Amino acid sequence: MNIILLNSKRGHSRTLSVPRHLPVILLAVLMVVPVLVGVGAYWVSYRWAPPSYTDAVAARFQDHLDAQAHEVSELKRLSEEQIRALTLKLADAQARLTRLDALGERLVDVAGIDSEEFDFGGGMAVGGPETEEGSAFTPPSFLEELSALTETLERREQQLNILENLLADRHLESETFLAGRPIVHGWMSSRFGRRADPFTGKLAWHGGVDFAGKDGSDVVATAAGVVTFAGERTGYGKLVEINHGNGISTRYGHAKEVSVEVGDIVRTGDVVALMGSTGRSTGPHVHYEVLKDGRQVNPHPYIYRARR
């Protein structure tokens, strides 16, 4: 291999002969020298520099791993305890739901309600389109079971509330159902309608029914209601008036003694007065009136109809 050198000033040239393997040697030197320098530097640093991974570092890593393993174990233990507690709660809730269903069935049976809305014994109606073949079944999770149970409990609570309201309405209707006589012992002494006035003998209108009995015997309410009058009234003597709702009221006149006050709530059969002969009366009896929307009506249909 020859290298030609040119001199621009004198115009001469000179040829230098270069050995054939010199370029290969130079290339090898340029590649080998950096590698040797790097290896030497690594060897020197490893030989004299302090090591970065020592027994103390290893011990610290091991302590850290042990602490993490303990935390994981503790979390696992707490999770298992919570799951067991939730499982017990779920079982208790299911047992309570079973008792609620039994109570609901009993109440429906006692109330004589024939309604599919209160079918506590039947299972929930379910359905849906057929799924594609090969689709994997995924069992419900614990939270899904708990959510479904909560929804069922809410539905049962709504049903029981409605049932309670129906029973309360029926009880109230039964209590305010006007029926029977206003006395415990005694007899009917004068009917409703036209009669001869006991004082004048003239034909007069009698707006109620008279029940005679022993002086001081009990006068009872023929239905539940609120006392709207208790005291003296012209012609009636000592009078008790009870409002039963739905425009129905009753009056109990000529009492010897009034046993209630205005605003009192009375139930069917409660003693409201004692039989007497106050006011325009010829002897111990109770003048019994039934008023509908403020007008006197014949009490006989209410006296003789059967108590619910």
Side-chain angles (χ1 to χ4, degrees):
M1 180 177 180
N2 296 325
I3 298 176
I4 299 176
L5 301 176
L6 297 177
N7 192 336
S8 60
K9 293 182 179 180
R10 298 181 179 181
H12 298 292
S13 62
R14 186 179 178 182
T15 302
L16 299 177
S17 179
V18 179
R20 182 178 299 176
H21 302 290
L22 181 61
V24 178
I25 294 171
L26 291 175
L27 181 60
V29 170
L30 292 175
M31 294 180 62
V32 171
V33 169
V35 173
L36 293 175
V37 171
V39 171
Y42 175 76
W43 183 82
V44 170
S45 62
Y46 178 79
R47 186 69 178 178
W48 284 287
S52 58
Y53 186 78
T54 61
D55 293 339
V57 174
R60 286 198 300 270
F61 277 128
Q62 188 62 43
D63 292 341
H64 187 63
L65 290 175
D66 292 341
Q68 288 183 338
H70 178 71
E71 291 178 359
V72 171
S73 177
E74 187 67 16
L75 287 175
K76 182 179 179 181
R77 184 185 65 81
L78 292 176
S79 299
E80 291 176 351
E81 289 181 356
Q82 291 177 351
I83 290 176
R84 284 196 295 269
L86 288 175
T87 303
L88 292 176
K89 289 289 186 182
L90 181 60
D92 181 67
Q94 289 173 340
R96 290 175 180 269
L97 178 59
T98 301
R99 289 195 293 270
L100 283 177
D101 288 343
L103 175 61
E105 292 175 4
R106 177 61 179 165
L107 290 175
V108 170
D109 182 61
V110 170
I113 298 175
D114 183 14
S115 174
E116 295 181 357
E117 295 295 329
F118 298 100
D119 185 11
F120 290 92
M124 293 184 297
V126 296
E130 184 178 0
T131 58
E132 297 180 1
E133 294 184 0
S135 59
F137 169 73
T138 303
S141 66
F142 181 83
L143 293 178
E144 290 176 350
E145 288 288 340
L146 191 59
S147 177
L149 180 61
T150 302
E151 293 177 0
T152 303
L153 286 172
E154 290 177 353
R155 287 195 297 271
R156 289 294 186 269
E157 183 180 4
Q158 292 175 357
Q159 288 179 324
L160 287 174
N161 286 336
I162 295 173
L163 183 59
E164 181 184 10
N165 292 333
L166 288 176
L167 292 176
D169 291 342
R170 286 194 173 189
H171 178 71
L172 180 62
E173 182 181 356
S174 176
E175 285 292 321
T176 56
F177 184 76
L178 195 64
R181 305 194 309 171
I183 59 173
V184 179
H185 303 288
W187 63 94
M188 185 182 295
S189 58
S190 180
R191 293 181 175 273
F192 175 86
R194 295 185 180 277
R195 68 171 186 178
D197 186 277
F199 291 95
T200 64
K202 296 181 180 179
L203 192 64
W205 179 259
H206 187 221
V209 174
D210 292 339
F211 289 91
K214 183 179 178 181
D215 184 56
S217 59
D218 292 339
V219 176
V220 298
T222 52
V226 180
V227 178
T228 56
F229 184 87
E232 292 278 351
R233 182 175 293 182
T234 303
Y236 289 93
K238 292 183 179 180
L239 172 72
V240 174
E241 183 170 336
I242 302 174
N243 188 320
H244 305 284
N246 297 322
I248 301 294
S249 299
T250 53
R251 289 175 178 170
Y252 311 80
H254 307 303
K256 178 179 182 179
E257 181 181 333
V258 173
S259 304
V260 293
E261 297 179 355
V262 174
D264 286 351
I265 298 175
V266 296
R267 295 174 298 179
T268 303
D270 284 354
V271 176
V272 296
L274 300 180
M275 187 180 294
S277 186
T278 58
R280 196 169 183 267
S281 170
T282 60
H285 76 286
V286 56
H287 174 79
Y288 178 63
E289 290 183 8
V290 176
L291 297 93
K292 188 171 184 179
D293 297 326
R295 298 180 61 184
Q296 296 169 335
V297 296
N298 190 352
H300 288 278
Y302 300 97
I303 294 172
Y304 292 110
R305 69 178 176 178
R307 170 72 59 187
R308 288 181 180 179

